[in-house]
Every structure is written in C-alpha cells, then in structure tokens.
C-alpha cells in the first residue's frame, strides 16, 4: 500500500461493518465536519491522492475502498447480487462513519463511488450535508439511453454483467494489460503523467486478486438488476441534498449527455460544469480544478455551529 507516501498524516484501519465485511478506511484531519471520499472502477483509495490530503486542515477526511475493491472485503456474490447493491454499499459507508462518530457528513464520489453516493442520498438524505458526483448520470438513465457509441466506449458495463463467471475467467491473470488499457481508453492524453508507475502498480496489484474481479463484476451485475429496481421505484423522488456535479468535457458522459440538465431534473439544488482537457478519471486528471471547486462547495454548505 502507498498510504505513507501519498497520505502520510492518515491512519489506516479495517472497520468491521458486520456480516464478516471489513472496509479499508483512511482517516485524516481533525475537523468537526467530515468529508467521505468514494472511488470508482477499477481503482481504490489512491484515486484521492491529489485532493483529500489538502482538506485535512478544515475537515475530518475519510477515504474508503468500496466492498469488492482495493483492500476491503470481497464477499462471494449472492444469487440476486444484493450484497453488492449500492444500497448495501451505502450502508457500509454509514456504518463506517457511525463507528468514527459521525452521523452526518459530506459525500464525494467518482464513478462507482458516485453511484453509491447517489443511492445514499436517496435512502438516507438526513445523513448527507452535501454531495459531489463526478462523471456519472443515474444508472437507470445511462442504461436506457444506450446507443452504439455508449456501448462501444462503455463496453465493460455489458461485459461485467455476464453470468457464469465469464468476466472472472477472462480477466484473471490479465490485470496489468487491463489496467493500462482502461487508462488509455478513458483519460485525456495530456493528463497521462498524473498516473505514475507506482500508482498503476497498486491498481494492478489489487486487480490481480481474483476476488477483486469477482467483486467488480458483482458490483456491475447488481447495477443492472437489483439496483435498477431501486432506481425505478425512486424515479419520482426529488433529491434535496445540495449537489455538485463535475464531469470530463472530453469524456463519454459529457459528450453523450447534458449532464447538468439531467441532474436538474432529479434534484432541486444542482451546480456543476464539464472540466476541460479531462476524460473520465476526473479527480486524477484535473485535481487542481476539482480541489478548488470542491473546497468552495464544501464551504458553502458547511454546517453552521
């Protein structure tokens, strides 16, 4: 792990959330208010290396690996994939934060982590002070608006959901190739130097675990099945939590959808913009812009003591 190098003032703990699941958690800062960071696919806590350490002077900063990813527990998926639903992953976050003494917090998520944030503010809006979502629209919208370009560029959405262990078998032993292929596919070429070899090796190491590949596959299988049921049931709900939505101006999501307009249909308080010279891996490609924008947003919605 590269915690000492990139998060030197953070403490690392495995926090038990029940049912033999332990969530890898980094804890830094001493603020009364907490900010939780949730990474995306196929990464881990390192996603936030440029951003989270710079917020510790004002906030308690919590970074977790999602279940199935990084150094968190990777359970065998249930037949209905429910133990990898975003509802269950959101409950992991709530339990981690409760054990750390926080009943309310700011949420920041990228990609899969942002989908967990979305479910958390739908199920438990009282827990979220604010929520920042990076490079996503609701899962329901993205599946139902699928066209040839989306299916080509987000091929993994349709690959991972295959059953009978297909993605697990095909990806096992190919972590190095897949991580590098995924990086080249999704980032703006001008930002490639932000992905140093030691970081890539850490992503490769975690993805080399067959149970990580299984956990990732179950995450996507859940999104296409049980999560979809939850999302359909909530289509008429209006999100009350203040939202900041950011996306890569050169990425698939930003090119195929009007991100801000679509989130404004789902929430009453939304701000955001597409970041130039940026693909999908927003917090790693353009961390300075993300940090500046996020800091302003967090300050605006900081709880008044």
């Amino acid at each position: 792990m590269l915690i000492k190098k990139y998060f030197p003032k953070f403490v690392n703990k495995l926090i038990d959330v029940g049912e033999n699941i332990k969530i890898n958690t980094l804890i830094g800062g001493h603020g009364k208010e907490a900010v939780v960071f949730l990474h995306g696919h196929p990464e881990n806590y390192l996603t936030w290396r440029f951003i989270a350490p710079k917020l510790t002077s004002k906030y308690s900063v919590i970074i977790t690996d999602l279940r199935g990813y990084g150094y968190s527990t990777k359970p065998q998926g249930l037949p209905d994939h429910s133990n990898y639903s975003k509802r269950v992953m959101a409950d992991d976050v709530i339990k981690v934060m409760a054990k750390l003494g926080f009943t309310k917090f700011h949420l920041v998520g990228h990609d899969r982590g942002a989908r967990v944030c979305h479910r958390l503010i739908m199920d438990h809006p009282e827990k979220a002070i604010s929520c920042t979502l990076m490079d996503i629209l609701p899962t329901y919208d993205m599946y139902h608006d699928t066209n040839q370009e989306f299916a080509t560029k987000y091929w993994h959405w349709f690959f991972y959901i295959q059953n009978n262990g297909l993605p697990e078998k095909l990806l096992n032993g190919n972590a190095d190739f897949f991580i590098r292929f995924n990086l080249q596919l999704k980032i703006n070429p001008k930002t490639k130097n932000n992905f140093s070899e030691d970081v890539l090796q850490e992503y490769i190491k975690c993805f080399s675990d067959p149970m990580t590949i299984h956990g990732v596959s179950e995450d996507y299988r859940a999104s296409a099945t049980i999560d979809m049921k939850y999302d359909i049931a909530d289509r008429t709900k209006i999100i009350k939590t203040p939202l900041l939505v950011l996306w890569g101006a050169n990425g698939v999501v930003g090119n195929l959808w009007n991100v801000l307009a679509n989130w404004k249909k789902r929430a009453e308080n939304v701000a955001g913009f597409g970041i130039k010279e940026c693909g999908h891996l927003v917090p790693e490609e353009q961390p300075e812009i993300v940090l500046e924008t996020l800091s302003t947003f967090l300050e605006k919605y900081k709880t008044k003591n």
Side-chain angles (χ1 to χ4, degrees):
M1 297 176 74
L2 296 174
I3 294 172
K4 289 184 178 180
K5 179 175 181 178
Y6 290 105
F7 304 91
K9 297 181 180 180
F10 282 68
V11 174
N12 182 213
K13 294 183 178 180
L14 283 173
I15 297 183
D16 192 333
V17 296
E19 299 183 357
N20 297 315
I21 303 295
K22 294 183 179 180
I23 300 299
N24 185 48
T25 306
L26 278 65
I27 307 153
H30 304 285
K32 292 182 180 179
E33 210 153 285
V35 185
V36 183
F37 288 89
L38 305 177
H39 66 86
H41 162 270
E43 301 175 301
N44 56 31
Y45 69 95
L46 276 172
T47 294
W48 308 108
R49 63 193 178 277
F50 298 124
I51 296 170
K54 296 181 180 179
L55 292 171
T56 55
S57 62
K58 291 187 177 181
Y59 302 95
S60 290
V61 177
I62 316 300
I63 309 167
T64 75
D65 286 343
L66 302 175
R67 67 163 64 196
Y69 289 79
Y71 293 92
S72 290
T73 302
K74 304 160 182 65
Q76 184 69 32
L78 296 174
D80 66 352
H81 318 298
S82 58
N83 60 334
Y84 280 92
S85 71
K86 306 310 155 294
R87 176 163 287 167
V88 168
M89 288 184 173
D91 286 346
D92 288 343
V93 175
I94 291 170
K95 290 173 182 175
V96 165
M97 295 307 288
K99 290 203 169 184
L100 295 177
F102 297 99
T103 57
K104 297 186 71 172
F105 37 85
H106 299 273
L107 285 163
V108 182
H110 170 249
D111 187 65
R112 311 309 293 178
R115 299 190 188 285
V116 176
C117 292
H118 181 206
R119 175 43 54 190
L120 195 154
I121 62 176
M122 297 298 286
D123 287 352
H124 303 282
E126 76 283 356
K127 298 292 184 183
I129 303 168
S130 74
C131 182
T132 299
L133 305 174
M134 298 188 202
D135 218 59
I136 72 160
L137 283 173
T139 305
Y140 176 94
D141 295 336
M142 293 179 70
Y143 267 127
H144 280 76
D145 291 345
T146 293
N147 58 23
Q148 183 175 350
E149 182 176 359
F150 177 69
T152 300
K153 293 181 177 178
Y154 267 45
W155 62 274
H156 59 288
W157 273 43
F158 308 93
F159 172 68
Y160 279 130
I161 66 176
Q162 303 305 312
N163 291 317
N164 301 317
L166 179 67
E168 289 93 332
K169 287 183 175 66
L170 294 182
L171 288 175
N172 190 24
N174 293 303
D176 189 282
F177 173 80
F178 178 77
I179 293 296
R180 296 179 191 278
F181 172 81
N182 187 69
L183 180 72
Q184 296 301 323
L185 186 69
K186 292 185 176 180
I187 67 168
N188 186 295
K190 295 182 179 180
T191 65
K192 65 179 181 180
N193 289 336
N194 287 1
F195 299 84
S196 57
E197 185 61 26
D198 61 340
V199 169
L200 291 179
Q201 287 298 326
E202 181 75 347
Y203 290 153
I204 291 165
K205 176 184 175 182
C206 289
F207 207 75
S208 295
D209 180 352
M211 285 308 295
T212 297
I213 299 173
H214 175 67
V216 170
S217 299
E218 284 296 297
D219 169 20
Y220 282 83
R221 288 170 184 143
S223 282
T225 56
I226 191 167
D227 288 335
M228 194 68 72
K229 294 179 182 178
Y230 300 151
D231 288 350
I232 291 171
D234 287 338
R235 291 296 289 172
T236 59
K237 283 187 180 179
I238 299 297
I239 296 168
K240 305 292 185 181
T241 306
L243 292 187
L244 172 64
V245 294
L246 301 173
W247 63 94
N250 305 114
V252 174
V253 175
N255 284 332
L256 293 183
W257 285 277
N258 185 327
V259 180
L260 194 59
N262 274 272
W263 278 112
K264 285 184 175 180
K265 295 176 184 177
R266 304 299 306 278
E268 64 180 20
N269 183 356
V270 187
F273 59 94
I275 299 176
K276 296 179 180 179
E277 296 187 354
C278 186
H280 175 58
L281 302 181
V282 177
E284 294 172 282
E285 293 188 63
Q286 294 293 350
E288 294 85 2
I289 296 173
V290 172
L291 179 62
E292 180 181 1
T293 307
L294 177 62
S295 297
T296 301
F297 180 69
L298 292 173
E299 188 66 30
K300 181 176 180 179
Y301 292 103
K302 197 171 184 179
T303 302
K304 307 300 180 186
N305 296 320

